[in-house]
Amino acid sequence: MALPLQAPGLVAGVDEAGRGPLAGPVVAAAVILDPRRRIRGIKDSKQLEAEEREELAIKIRGAALSWSVAWADVEEIDCHNILQATHLAMRRALIGLHIHPGHVQVDGNLCPSFIGLPMKCSYEAIVDGDALKTCIGAASILAKVARDRMMVELDALYPEYGFAAHKGYSTPQHYKALKRHGPTPIHRRSFEPVRLAGERRLTLADMGEMAPEAAVVAL
């Protein structure tokens, strides 16, 4: 395996998608853009329509000097918490770059721990970085597009939840499905709405195993 190239003059942008949803992984991307190949239209992925994100993602993957997408799954989110899982996904995305940058710009107010990463570079957290820095905006687009595709695939496994439409976020449709069907294996049980839905469903299931008169008393 070839060792990553060292490029001290280049900057990598890092961002995530999916910190807020009740279901699915949190996805991060790292991007090193080519200064000689400008891509018009890059900005915070939340400010773009889905079709625009898809088109820009193709351009970014084709023109970037290096890019990488990684994620932390639901088990890791529930085990560590969403912040630590997000940072884990960011670390994995950086490890996936085949070029080691001299500087890393991360969206937000806190950088993940870079202890043990196989690269020597400086790091910077930038609030609203996906709107202020093109490289972070590019990372936000790749992360969002990748996660949306994952949720569309998961929709085929759990069609009653509507993941293809809301991507796991808190919507009336999602809450209604949670209340009716309970959490799936891809729901974040450490998130309170999911936990409460699971507890309510378990309670009703337990009551169903009681003698009829006991169930009436319990209700």
Side-chain angles (χ1 to χ4, degrees):
M1 180 182 295
L3 293 175
L5 300 174
Q6 302 294 322
L10 294 177
V11 177
V14 179
D15 200 3
E16 54 74 29
R19 283 186 62 171
L22 303 178
V26 59
V27 178
V31 179
I32 301 177
L33 294 174
D34 187 341
R36 300 164 298 182
R37 302 178 68 181
R38 183 180 178 185
I39 304 172
R40 296 184 181 277
I42 292 178
K43 53 185 175 181
D44 178 3
S45 63
K46 296 184 291 296
Q47 299 177 4
L48 298 166
E49 298 295 330
E51 295 79 8
E52 293 177 302
R53 287 195 297 267
E54 289 282 352
E55 292 177 3
L56 283 168
I58 294 172
K59 294 178 181 179
I60 292 166
R61 291 192 293 265
L65 294 175
S66 186
W67 62 271
S68 172
V69 172
W71 59 89
D73 59 28
V74 172
E75 289 78 10
E76 290 170 319
I77 293 170
D78 288 340
C79 177
H80 300 296
N81 72 45
I82 185 59
L83 176 61
Q84 295 305 316
T86 299
H87 286 179
L88 179 60
M90 288 179 170
R91 284 172 56 90
R92 289 170 175 166
L94 281 167
I95 290 173
L97 293 173
H98 76 281
I99 295 175
H100 284 174
H103 186 60
V104 175
Q105 295 178 331
V106 180
D107 183 57
N109 60 3
L110 183 67
C111 285
S113 170
F114 294 102
I115 296 175
L117 287 185
M119 57 182 68
K120 294 181 179 180
C121 54
S122 54
Y123 302 95
E124 177 185 11
I126 303 175
V127 176
D128 294 328
D130 47 6
L132 298 174
K133 299 293 182 180
T134 305
C135 60
I136 299 179
S140 77
I141 291 169
L142 292 193
K144 174 65 174 169
V145 168
R147 187 179 186 280
D148 282 358
R149 289 179 179 176
M150 290 180 181
M151 297 309 296
V152 170
E153 292 175 0
L154 290 169
D155 181 80
L157 296 177
Y158 308 101
E160 63 272 23
Y161 287 84
F163 290 133
H166 56 67
K167 309 301 188 295
Y169 282 88
S170 303
T171 66
Q173 177 190 9
H174 195 177
Y175 279 125
K176 184 177 180 180
L178 262 177
K179 182 177 180 180
R180 181 172 183 179
H181 304 289
T184 70
I186 65 164
H187 275 97
R188 302 173 181 180
R189 294 178 184 265
S190 57
F191 281 38
E192 186 172 12
V194 179
R195 178 180 61 79
L196 293 175
E199 289 176 355
R200 178 180 181 278
R201 188 169 178 81
L202 177 62
T203 301
L204 293 176
D206 289 344
M207 289 180 179
E209 296 176 359
M210 297 178 184
E213 61 274 13
V216 171
V217 171
L219 290 171

